[in-house]
Amino acid sequence: MSTPTVDIPYLNISDPSFAMQSEELRNARAASWYARTNYGFAVLRYDEVSKLLKSPKLKQGSAQWPAHNGVHGGLFYDWWTKNLLVLEGEDHHRIRRLLNPAFSPRLIKDLVPRFQALANELIDAFIDKGECEFIRDFAEPYATRVLTILLGIPESEWPKIARLASTVGLALGVTFKRDLDKVEAAVAELYEYADELIKDRQANPGEDFVSRLVLASRDGDRLSDEELRNALVLLIFGGMDTTRNQLGLAMQSFIRNPEQWGLLAERPELGAKAVEEVMRTNPTVTWVTREAVEDFTYQDLFIEKGTTVHLFTQSSGTDPLAFPNPEMDLLGEHAPHYGFGGGVHHCLGHFVARADMSEALPLLASRIADPHLTGGDEWLPDSGNTGPTRLPIGFTRRS
Amino acid sequence: MKTVDVDRSLCDNHGQCAIAAPEVFRMNPDGVLEYEPTFDDSLLGEVEEAIDVCPVQAIFLKD
Ligand code: HEM
Ligand code: HEM
Ligand code: SF4
């Protein structure tokens, strides 16, 4: 182990006021490719994040979360410790192979007209008012109803699904232990939904997404009913708040960059590029957590087995060493961002999220001009998954 | 016979192809993709799946 020759920056990442897009972080990144934190290391630059994200010496770092919170059994525990995100090696790959075909980009293309109709329906409901609460009136119903469309659940069920998913989400918070009863009840209810869906599609298989999961098989292997329901709950849980938050952040990015909004309105074919640029410069998943599976040395840093390593997404996506012009630019050519993670745990739902957001953003831009904050916005902290929980905006109707 | 080609300027070494079609694609110990351009016809289904799942869509079939 070598002694660092430069002062290694320190970041307090669990301080609620810790800011990703800050002078403090830019200075740290200019000084060093990594920082020490109150919770392992943070990797700040693009090249290093890119390499470590795919390193076989690191595994996904959230498996022990329930245990760290003193939770060692129960429905949530069983679900969490068997879900794709925390499985590793062949156990992970086997489930991923069986889930993959349902997520094929070719099949997701067929859903695009429904995404467009949904976006227009939501915009119709507020466009004459000249203002809206963007999360309540667009981002949340859009993100949730896309999931119900994908899963073939009646769209009218969306408020209930949203409520159950955010209750399970309490398991990620500091009050996990206190909320355990509520979390357990919500997992039980989501399981009932999932079991009903599975039974229905096993009896009446069609061409839809859940039927494809139910029928998925490879080399004579298939998903058990328990694996299916675990996966369905993971999709609801991993796909909803992420998309809602990312859409809220997209609106923030365009409010800060009005000329880019105008460009998108004129050129809707830039929708896919808009999603990439928003996620590179303003990602909801602010870091991806990894844990060292063995002792190893990377560049000048000795990383001991069991150490937590946070791979920073916004910081790497705007690293001047990789992006000489890091500002959001829909016409620029940029290296890929890591807002969907990377390596074996690369987001399974990214084709869905990319397809739905790249329809929503140009439709919004083509119908509302000059979006601006009107006050009263509320935000999640910057650690982990961020975004606005309330975003009142004003605008003018585009003629 | 079909062969497979990876555009190295796009490939970002995520290794999803190696999960989908392990007999054709593999990640070396440094985490870098290695692959066989030619493969047995019986593996065509797996290769097509690898093409689908590649996050950056860097894999192409050639006749
Ligand atoms: C903008 C929206 C989304 C963002 C920003 C996002 C981001 C991510 C990230 C960063 C990871 C990797 C986590 C890690 O490696 O620790 C991930 C994994 C995952 N995501 Fe997404 N996601 C989004 C939407 C979705 C959707 C719509 C679905 C499902 C329909 C989904 C399902 C999953 C699953 C199942 C995994 C685990 C994959 C594995 O471990 O193999 N995500 N996502
Ligand atoms: C499936 C249900 C999920 C549960 C119960 C869950 C659980 C957790 C837990 C326990 C944490 C807190 C870790 C900490 O603060 O140290 C966390 C944070 C996080 N989760 Fe999830 N997660 C889920 C799904 C996902 C998915 C699918 C993604 C990908 C979008 C994701 C991305 C993240 C990220 C990036 C963080 C912050 C970094 C961290 O892991 O510490 N989570 N999650
Ligand atoms: S899945 Fe795509 S990006 Fe990943 S290693 Fe294979 S070809 Fe490269």
Side-chain angles (χ1 to χ4, degrees), chain B residues 6 11-17 27 33 54-56 58-59:
Chain B
V6 175
C11 171
D12 199 15
N13 295 303
H14 288 296
Q16 290 295 334
C17 53
M27 307 313 286
L33 171 68
C54 172
V56 296
I59 312 175

Side-chain angles (χ1 to χ4, degrees), chain A residues 244-256:
Chain A
R244 178 200 66 194
N245 294 344
Q246 194 61 70
L247 282 168
L249 290 163
M251 183 51 77
Q252 179 196 38
S253 288
F254 280 110
I255 287 173
R256 286 178 180 162

Side-chain angles (χ1 to χ4, degrees), chain A residues 54 97 106 218 338 344, chain B residues 12 14 16 19-20 46 52:
Chain A
K54 301 134 197 174
R97 276 183 209 116
R106 286 172 296 173
R218 183 161 154 149
Y338 296 114
V344 297
Chain B
D12 199 15
H14 288 296
Q16 290 295 334
I19 295 178
E46 287 184 21
D52 264 6

Side-chain angles (χ1 to χ4, degrees), chain A residues 70-87:
Chain A
V71 173
H72 301 279
L75 278 182
F76 177 81
Y77 178 89
D78 287 342
W79 171 67
W80 180 239
T81 50
K82 291 192 190 116
N83 90 56
L84 186 68
L85 184 64
V86 307
L87 292 178

